[in-house]
Amino acid sequence: MDHRTPVRRAARNAVLALLVLTTSTGCAGGVEGTPGAAGLHDPYFPKLGNGGYDVTHYDLALDVDAPARRLRGTATITARATQDLSAFNLDLVGLTVQSATVEGRPAAVNRAGHELTLRPDADVESHLRKGRTFRTVVRYSGTPQTITDPDKSKEGWLRTADGAVALGEPTGSMAWFPGNNHPSDKASYDITVTVAKGLTAVSNGELASRATSGGTTTYHWHVAEPMASYLATVAIGRFDMKSSTTPDGIKVFTAADTKVAADSARVLARVPEVVKWEAERFGPYPFSATGAIVGRSGDAGYALETQNRPYFPGPPGTGLLVHEMAHQWFGNSVTPESWRDMWLNEGFATYAEWMWEADKENNPVQGRFDAAFEDDDNWAFPPADPPTAADISQAPVYGRGAMVIHKIRQAVHDDKRFFALVKGWTRAHRHGNASTADFTAYVERTTGKDLTKLWNTWLYGRSRPASEG
Ligand code: TRP
Ligand code: ZN
């Protein structure tokens, strides 16, 4: 563009260059930034997430007045620009933004739907060049929203009898903090929650500190390993919290709503056993901390594999604990590239349940496979291609997803080689992202087999084959 030419010429003249640079926007050094994309084109949620940057760390400081249903938050987001940025978006739904700064300078704020657009001050534009790391601070407050998903389930911020629980699959994290709300952008977190004294705030990771002063208690949770936004949680209420350390050095935090604590004790005591059993099959546990959060039935309509510490609406059975804990490997450490890859989460987590039953309850995996094969619900659509966003949590993603894993086990023949393949997968993508194409290529590479027919029948096939063979 013409108006940039004088800047380049002036570069030969330091004095003139300085004059021009201080009055121009987007021209410093001859580089002009452009706005980051407002969505990441996910096949099911095209507007989720944002382009132009990668978040490396979220520091969330939340002040929650549970009875009044109000939240006050400060989100400090450290991100690396992946293009020269003139502006960028965060995802945030509801709430009021009081102020935003980028690199310490006030940024212009615009909101439209769940898109929060920040236009940094021209003075800091050089800090948003491709490859540079910049810091954004958003101050916000209000009553966080409950989001209704395409499949009608409720997520986001859910009120409970004496507090709240935040659950975020697939979109709900933007109800309580601004961010890059897509599984492809993982980051470490510090989540600090201040609540009235007497209430507990449980979140992901390790409890770094807990301090009571005056009438409030502040809980600081630290998540060192990368986490997708949909796995972030905070549960506020009256909880029985217990901590211990496994023989392998994994920190265990369990929290059960006092009303269900007695009924939860037995299953919660089995958390270390389940983690160990799964680590033997899937590879080393990927995080420094584990545990579980048990709320009251009805607080949420489902369990969720929130990172480190799955959430259960009431005391879970062992099978459900096994399922949610398996997600720590499949989903939380190896995270789907997009919401189309959900079967990689649910297929493996369901298969973990089948294997647990085989091992502990003498119910062979083949029996579960046979039943799944006969179940018409599993044949509604191919697990790797749900027809709509409302279908990503439906039967084929779970049941036929697990059947795909079993067919791979059969194709490999030897169990030692099968578990080596599974461990190799969790190792290859540990703390990262992976797609269905990554998985099928990996399995073919590792086995040295052309499995086109297996994928076409079990993963992509629209109808039940004549036989299981
Ligand atoms: N992932 C959860 C589980 O397997 C279930 C679930 C809750 C879910 N909300 C969802 C799946 C939204 C897909 C989309 O236990
Ligand atoms: Zn699951």
Side-chain angles (χ1 to χ4, degrees), residues 95-424:
L95 304 167
T96 303
V97 173
Q98 262 82 43
S99 67
T101 63
V102 177
E103 286 296 301
R105 302 275 296 161
V109 175
N110 188 60
R111 300 195 65 185
H114 73 240
E115 298 298 339
L116 163 63
T117 304
L118 300 184
R119 184 169 286 276
D121 191 284
D123 286 359
V124 298
E125 197 170 15
S126 65
H127 294 260
L128 281 81
R129 298 248 180 87
K130 184 175 177 173
R132 292 198 67 174
T133 294
F134 62 97
R135 190 177 290 197
T136 302
V137 180
V138 180
R139 287 175 210 283
Y140 58 101
S141 67
T143 302
Q145 292 185 9
T146 300
I147 293 173
T148 303
D149 286 337
D151 72 358
K152 305 283 196 293
S153 58
K154 305 279 188 194
E155 55 149 345
W157 191 265
L158 309 175
R159 279 197 73 218
T160 62
D162 51 14
V165 58
L167 298 175
E169 191 178 25
T171 73
S173 79
M174 60 189 175
W176 59 287
F177 67 92
N180 196 15
N181 191 19
H182 190 267
S184 58
D185 189 1
K186 303 186 1 171
S188 56
Y189 284 68
D190 281 283
I191 302 175
T192 305
V193 188
T194 301
V195 292
K197 191 176 152 188
L199 293 180
T200 301
V202 197
S203 184
N204 312 89
E206 295 187 25
L207 184 60
S209 69
R210 166 175 36 190
T212 297
S213 112
T216 62
T217 305
T218 298
Y219 292 81
H220 172 190
W221 295 88
H222 176 66
V223 185
E225 301 94 356
M227 177 166 79
S229 56
Y230 79 95
L231 299 165
T233 190
V234 52
I236 295 160
R238 297 185 189 280
F239 288 97
D240 263 8
M241 192 151 78
K242 289 198 167 70
S243 65
S244 60
T245 306
T246 71
D248 295 330
I250 302 163
K251 298 212 168 96
V252 186
F253 295 90
T254 61
D257 185 297
T258 50
K259 289 265 197 280
V260 298
D263 289 344
S264 308
R266 270 173 63 134
V267 68
L268 291 181
R270 298 189 74 175
V271 163
E273 174 196 350
V274 169
V275 169
K276 183 167 181 283
W277 183 91
E278 294 187 335
E280 282 160 11
R281 283 152 186 83
F282 308 149
Y285 182 73
F287 307 120
S288 67
T290 187
I293 305 169
V294 185
R296 301 185 204 178
S297 66
D299 284 351
Y302 50 83
L304 190 66
E305 64 266 28
T306 42
Q307 190 147 312
N308 308 98
R309 205 153 289 122
Y311 177 85
F312 302 94
T318 319
L320 187 57
L321 176 63
V322 166
H323 178 109
E324 302 307 338
M325 205 54 91
H327 278 307
Q328 304 304 315
W329 286 260
F330 306 105
N332 302 8
S333 173
V334 184
T335 303
E337 190 63 55
S338 88
W339 289 110
R340 203 207 297 276
D341 306 309
M342 267 295 286
W343 78 273
L344 282 169
N345 288 11
E346 303 304 345
F348 270 113
T350 303
Y351 199 66
E353 288 179 68
W354 293 5
M355 290 196 295
W356 175 271
E357 268 190 38
D359 199 35
K360 307 286 180 184
E361 291 155 36
N362 224 0
N363 183 16
V365 167
Q366 190 61 44
R368 292 297 304 259
F369 179 95
D370 295 347
F373 183 83
E374 295 304 333
D375 185 348
D376 288 348
D377 290 349
N378 285 329
W379 297 97
F381 58 82
D385 192 19
T388 73
D391 297 307
I392 63 168
S393 54
Q394 296 304 303
V397 174
Y398 288 73
R400 235 169 97 198
M403 290 161 77
V404 171
I405 308 304
H406 191 61
K407 293 309 291 185
I408 295 167
R409 188 178 186 173
Q410 289 177 338
V412 167
H413 299 300
D414 176 88
D415 263 2
K416 250 178 81 183
R417 282 172 56 200
F418 170 71
F419 286 109
L421 179 143
V422 171
K423 286 176 183 158

